[in-house]
Amino acid sequence: MEAWQVTLNGEPIDAMGIAVLETPVPAPGEVLLRTRAVALNFPDVLLARGEYQVRPELPFTPGIELCADVVALGEGVTNVSVGERVVATHIGVMAEYVVVPARVVFSAPSALSDAEASALMIGYQTGYFGLHRRANLQPGETLLVHAAAGGVGTAAVQLGKAAGATVIGVVGSDAKRQVALDAGADLVINRRDEDFVTMVNDFTQGRGADVIYDPVGGETFQRSTKCIAFEGRIIVVGFAGGEIQSARANHALVKNYGILGLHWGLYEKKAPHLIAEAHEELTRLANSGVIRPLISEVVDFEQAADAVQRLADGTTVGRIAVRVSDPEVVAPL
């Protein structure tokens, strides 16, 4: 089989190459999948650079999210069936065939295409846990989403609207404004030309945002504390801006807001049943047309390194999916 491999740490275009490997065999508790599509995520960039919190030994296969067909089951696996179209998250899925633990495999929503389904797990699970479990977003509240044209951001915008919130999106260019609007944002702010603090406070008549969803960090977080509402909640999702901020505890005390960390991957270790419950609800929302991953581009398998590099360069909008196999030729080994 063919698989992308990171052979050295660096920029994705330099670090990634295609290799021919043996098709893996599932061990007990594992599932062998034939990949249909892989959704790109910013952790793919960090994995290539050697900057992700998990650092696989070189060489390794990147990719962390996919839609695939089940082609073989390891001993003891009962949650999926051979021939079933599924989604899963696991490091090492940018390959024609992959083996993953059965616990990370779930049925793909029937309403989503392969590319859309491949982008369902990480962004929407992160948004769901952040908005509902951590921040307890309520109907009628105002949600501010930073990086609202990206994969994580568009998911949060859609989930916020589904929850009955008024959603404000912050983007980095006019080209990205329409993406956030398409995701359902009620107001979109271009942070390069407009002051999001002033505009959020004006839009909310001085109250501020009840919930702020922040995958950017750094100065974006610091400025968000100037437009957070009384009893507001700031969700720290990541640091895509490249700077890890320092929270001012005295400011949180005086303004009476909360700072909530969200490490979605930790739920797999601490409370995996919650991931299954969230997937059931996300599947319902997807099949009813309430949420749908915004796939801006589908590239061929051979173009994956270039696509990951464009993600690293910040020139992408929505989600990019890598087409790996033709479902017409998928068959059990």
Side-chain angles (χ1 to χ4, degrees), residues 30-67:
E30 294 181 336
V31 178
L32 175 64
L33 307 174
R34 182 176 172 99
T35 307
R36 287 175 176 246
V38 175
L40 301 186
N41 291 272
F42 198 73
D44 292 316
V45 175
L46 300 179
L47 281 164
R49 292 172 175 168
E51 297 175 351
Y52 195 51
Q53 60 253 37
V54 177
R55 298 188 179 183
E57 183 178 346
L58 295 171
F60 66 89
T61 299
I64 60 175
E65 184 176 26
L66 84 165
C67 175

Side-chain angles (χ1 to χ4, degrees), residues 11 32 36 53 55 74 84 86 95 104 109 124 126 140 142 159 180 188-189 220 222 249 270 285 290 293 320:
E11 288 303 293
L32 175 64
R36 287 175 176 246
Q53 60 253 37
R55 298 188 179 183
E84 186 175 355
V86 297
V104 304
Y124 285 87
T126 300
T142 297
L159 289 168
V188 180
I189 301 167
T220 294
Q222 304 296 354
K270 300 290 188 179
L285 292 172
V290 176
I320 296 179

Side-chain angles (χ1 to χ4, degrees), residues 208-231:
D210 298 289
V211 175
I212 298 179
Y213 192 80
D214 181 18
V216 179
E219 181 65 18
T220 294
F221 171 89
Q222 304 296 354
R223 300 198 67 240
S224 292
T225 65
K226 300 176 186 284
C227 59
I228 185 70
F230 169 74
E231 292 194 326

Side-chain angles (χ1 to χ4, degrees), residues 26 47 72 84 102 116 126 137 165 171 175 179 185 218 249 251 276 278-279 306 322:
L47 281 164
E84 186 175 355
E116 291 167 340
T126 300
L137 180 68
V171 299
V179 176
H251 193 261
H279 181 72
D306 175 71
V322 177

Side-chain angles (χ1 to χ4, degrees), residues 71-91:
V71 293
L73 305 176
E75 182 182 349
V77 175
T78 59
N79 62 310
V80 292
S81 304
V82 170
E84 186 175 355
R85 192 178 74 127
V86 297
V87 294
T89 59
H90 194 66
I91 294 176

Side-chain angles (χ1 to χ4, degrees), residues 5-260:
Q5 294 258 280
V6 173
T7 56
L8 54 87
N9 289 134
E11 288 303 293
I13 198 68
D14 301 317
M16 294 173 58
I18 294 179
V20 177
L21 306 176
E22 292 292 327
T23 301
V25 176
E30 294 181 336
V31 178
L32 175 64
L33 307 174
R34 182 176 172 99
T35 307
R36 287 175 176 246
V38 175
L40 301 186
N41 291 272
F42 198 73
D44 292 316
V45 175
L46 300 179
L47 281 164
R49 292 172 175 168
E51 297 175 351
Y52 195 51
Q53 60 253 37
V54 177
R55 298 188 179 183
E57 183 178 346
L58 295 171
F60 66 89
T61 299
I64 60 175
E65 184 176 26
L66 84 165
C67 175
D69 290 287
V70 177
V71 293
L73 305 176
E75 182 182 349
V77 175
T78 59
N79 62 310
V80 292
S81 304
V82 170
E84 186 175 355
R85 192 178 74 127
V86 297
V87 294
T89 59
H90 194 66
I91 294 176
V93 302
M94 199 174 290
E96 291 179 313
Y97 289 91
V98 298
V99 161
V100 300
R103 68 179 182 277
V104 304
V105 181
F106 300 92
S107 296
S110 59
L112 301 183
S113 69
D114 293 342
E116 291 167 340
S118 75
L120 178 67
M121 287 292 294
I122 293 176
Y124 285 87
Q125 284 265 343
T126 300
Y128 190 85
F129 276 84
L131 298 180
H132 291 286
R133 186 164 185 87
R134 302 295 284 136
N136 193 27
L137 180 68
Q138 296 297 305
E141 289 192 316
T142 297
L143 167 66
L144 172 62
V145 178
H146 288 292
V152 170
T154 53
V157 170
Q158 290 182 2
L159 289 168
K161 292 301 296 180
T166 297
V167 181
I168 304 171
V170 178
V171 299
S173 69
D174 280 334
K176 295 182 178 181
R177 187 189 299 270
Q178 190 60 49
V179 176
L181 289 171
D182 290 344
D186 298 283
L187 171 70
V188 180
I189 301 167
N190 181 351
R191 60 181 170 81
R192 300 195 184 279
D193 301 327
E194 301 166 312
D195 180 6
F196 78 81
V197 173
T198 299
M199 293 188 68
V200 169
N201 285 328
D202 287 347
F203 186 76
T204 59
Q205 298 180 326
R207 173 178 170 77
D210 298 289
V211 175
I212 298 179
Y213 192 80
D214 181 18
V216 179
E219 181 65 18
T220 294
F221 171 89
Q222 304 296 354
R223 300 198 67 240
S224 292
T225 65
K226 300 176 186 284
C227 59
I228 185 70
F230 169 74
E231 292 194 326
R233 293 85 75 198
I234 301 177
I235 312 167
V236 179
V237 184
F239 314 102
E243 177 187 354
I244 299 176
Q245 66 272 14
S246 296
R248 294 165 51 201
N250 63 325
H251 193 261
L253 182 152
V254 170
K255 288 197 69 174
N256 204 45
Y257 64 86
I259 301 169
L260 305 170

